[in-house]
Amino acid sequence: MILGASSFAGPPGDLKGHVESIELYIPKLGIYDGSALETEKLDRVLDEISIYDFAITVHAPYSAGDSRYPSALQIVTARMGKREYTLLEESIALANRTGAPVVVLHPGRVGPDREKSFFSMVKNLSTLASIAEDYGVILGLENKEGTDTSNFCCEAGELSRTIEAVNSGYLKATFDIGHANLTCGGDPGKLREFVRILQKHIIHIHLHDNGGQWTEKYDGDEHMAPGKGCADFSVLELLSGYRGVYNFEVFSLEDLCFGKKTLENAFKP
């Protein structure tokens, strides 16, 4: 089992010894001036990480309603132009440079015409999958939380439909158990069925927890330590053939350590 943590969980030196992999979370790395990549800042980040010999995955920019999210890095996958393609190709190129096998992408936002937006998203993802193939990197399209109805791909069926419509070996799924728990309303039976539907596409996993329901804070997507909410992490046993990274998307070393114990208990016989 390969354990990882997002780069916002703590400095690389603090994470070393706790995880083997680090997910470079592009929006919070501070390597962009507006939408312009600052290569010297990126080089400094990579030099610091290289000391600790982490495996790498990459989380690309996306669309976010949080006022703290950099506005110049907003990307709606269903509506893309030159700027958006450049930003995502830079994340894909970074994955290639660091040997990262996966770049995490968010799906698009639902527009006034849902089907038109869906097919626009599929078209754009097809182009991105072709770019990823050129770099030898796989895209992991992440399921989003159903408590925000403006998101595509909250349900496992729609995420599977999207991946199958693109029909590329370079677009797979990032299974986010926290988001799925919100979509399933905290119901472990529904969560188990969610995994069964999606499991053949899963290339990457995000681990965090919540209360399984909408709240004013982040639509309930609170990214708590696994075990501090109501998500049933035993459903991960269904993914017996999974060999990718189990990446903790939490905000502190304390939550990472707590989550690791929860994961260990989930896999106990």
Side-chain angles (χ1 to χ4, degrees):
M1 180 181 292
I2 305 169
L3 300 183
S6 293
S7 53
F8 53 71
D14 291 351
L15 296 177
K16 190 61 182 176
H18 297 281
V19 293
E20 303 162 73
S21 177
I22 191 166
E23 186 152 294
L24 299 180
Y25 189 83
I26 300 301
K28 288 190 176 181
L29 282 185
I31 59 174
Y32 277 88
D33 179 11
S35 59
L37 177 63
E38 298 187 286
T39 56
E40 289 185 3
K41 289 184 178 180
L42 173 59
D43 290 344
R44 285 198 294 271
V45 169
L46 296 182
D47 285 345
E48 180 184 4
I49 292 171
S50 68
I51 296 171
Y52 302 101
D53 196 32
F54 283 112
I56 301 291
T57 56
V58 174
H59 196 309
Y62 54 91
S63 172
D66 188 345
S67 61
R68 294 170 296 178
Y69 184 93
S71 59
L73 300 183
Q74 293 274 1
I75 295 176
V76 178
T77 318
R79 300 190 303 274
M80 290 184 57
K82 182 178 179 181
R83 179 188 67 89
E84 289 82 1
Y85 276 112
T86 297
L87 286 169
L88 291 181
E89 184 166 359
E90 286 168 348
S91 289
I92 294 167
L94 174 58
N96 173 271
R97 174 180 174 182
T98 57
V102 175
V103 173
V104 178
L105 296 182
H106 281 194
R109 296 273 186 173
V110 178
D113 185 324
R114 198 179 204 285
E115 277 301 291
K116 185 177 179 180
S117 294
F118 177 81
F119 287 112
S120 177
M121 176 180 67
V122 167
K123 179 182 177 182
N124 293 337
L125 288 170
S126 296
T127 300
L128 290 169
S130 180
I131 293 170
E133 182 175 7
D134 290 340
Y135 284 94
V137 173
I138 296 177
L139 306 177
L141 188 63
E142 182 176 345
N143 60 291
K144 289 294 289 172
E145 67 279 6
T147 46
D148 181 351
T149 56
S150 67
N151 290 317
F152 276 117
C153 299
C154 299
E155 297 289 346
E158 185 167 68
L159 181 52
S160 294
R161 177 188 171 205
T162 302
I163 292 168
E164 289 162 10
V166 172
N167 191 27
S168 167
Y170 291 86
L171 182 72
K172 300 294 184 182
T174 291
F175 170 54
D176 188 302
I177 190 170
H179 292 166
N181 189 56
L182 287 168
T183 298
C184 296
D187 185 319
K190 291 181 180 178
L191 183 60
R192 192 163 289 269
E193 182 60 21
F194 190 108
V195 174
R196 287 194 181 101
I197 292 170
L198 192 61
Q199 60 184 349
K200 64 181 178 181
H201 297 300
I202 295 172
I203 192 74
H204 190 56
I205 292 175
H206 281 169
L207 304 171
H208 57 96
D209 212 341
N210 52 64
Q213 58 186 348
W214 184 89
T215 67
E216 290 187 357
K217 186 177 181 181
Y218 310 130
D219 298 310
D221 186 23
E222 298 186 67
H223 284 255
M224 297 188 294
K228 290 190 175 180
C230 69
D232 179 8
F233 287 85
S234 72
V235 300
L236 296 172
E237 291 181 319
L238 295 173
L239 303 176
S240 58
Y242 178 73
R243 297 294 180 266
V245 177
Y246 292 81
N247 192 77
F248 290 91
E249 272 200 326
V250 295
F251 296 115
S252 69
L253 183 60
E254 178 184 1
D255 280 355
L256 170 60
C257 294
F258 191 97
K260 284 176 66 178
K261 291 179 181 177
T262 298
L263 190 64
E264 289 169 6
N265 290 333
F267 283 95
K268 282 183 178 177

